[in-house]
Amino acid sequence: MGEFDISHSCSSLLCQESEEACLYETETKDDETFYLNYYDSGSVSDKEDQYIEELIQRETEVGFKTETSFTDYQATSKSWLECARLDAIEWIVNSRATFGFQMHTVYLTVTYFDRFLSKKPIDDGKLWVIRLLSVACLSIAAKMVECRAPALSEFPTEDYQFENKVIQRMELLVLSTLEWKMDSITPFAYLHYFISKLYGESRPKGLVSKALELIMDIIKEIHSLVNHRPSIIAAAAAIAASDGGLTRKAMEFKMDFISLWGSLENEHIFSCYKMMQELEMRKSKTPKFVISSNYSSVNYALENASAVSSGAGTKRKLTFNESDQNSLAKKICHP
């Protein structure tokens, strides 16, 4: 198959859910209710123990790493691409609100986005590529997770207008670059297991909702989801959602039910846990209007950089059609 052969339709990625499952998902009021109803039992079976250990082993096989500590991100200035990534995440999160997508869809989208960038870096200043990549990754993730994926024309691209064929070509570039390995693991696959193991039937009220919130927050703080195993993030979120004052030794004691984890994994769980603590402290001390303006600052910086690189001082709506994309992979990426 050629790199841009569109004979394999992306529609084949649509999840095959029953009508009842789709109706249930549509009627679900919030993510906590969804996860609590989906996992209606507080107990963990021996089969689930085995499944979780197999899932943890599979993380490295699909490309997740355990090399980067969460503390490596502290007090570092952000590059152009890191700012562009934040802008992309804001667009993805806003699109989730527009379409009512699950959190799982957002995390999967950012995972595709980060995996693509780890293989095909994008030249500085090409904001249109960031938006096109965001649309393609969200479209694929929606087809993998949601019962009803929006048509390509429904995605709000704001300052850009992409023809459907252009988005399809980017979808295929993403699929081929990721070698069609789209069934990626997310922290949500572990959440019920860790919470059940840690708290049993005495789960504190609001714990699931808080853990979900922490997982979503951490996406914006780290440079790439590829560098951090989902099980590490899920474990840290399950602990931080209830107890924000643990020592490393106390945390290791809580997590000793995972036999596959050693000192390196425990170190990374603790550093992720500490980052989540810091995020909570920062949010508690920061007025809401300042938090909401953070992304505006990122957008302003990106627009300024784009204007300087293009020699333009005003924003304009850009239209991309199929004829503009004859060699998409060569145009957007370094050789």
Side-chain angles (χ1 to χ4, degrees), residues 229-277:
R229 291 165 62 174
S231 57
I232 301 289
I233 294 173
I239 298 171
S242 173
D243 195 336
L246 292 178
T247 63
R248 177 172 171 174
K249 188 174 181 179
M251 190 214 67
E252 287 179 0
F253 179 76
K254 276 180 170 282
M255 296 305 300
D256 66 356
F257 58 85
I258 302 292
S259 60
L260 290 177
W261 278 344
S263 59
L264 180 62
E265 286 79 11
N266 285 331
E267 178 186 337
H268 285 185
I269 293 171
F270 189 65
S271 66
C272 182
Y273 167 79
K274 294 293 285 184
M275 177 179 275
M276 289 175 177
Q277 280 184 309

Side-chain angles (χ1 to χ4, degrees), residues 73 85 114-115 118 219 221-228:
Y73 301 121
R85 180 181 182 272
D114 289 341
R115 285 175 60 196
S118 72
I219 295 174
E221 292 296 313
I222 58 183
H223 298 169
S224 174
L225 294 182
V226 176
N227 293 330
H228 301 286

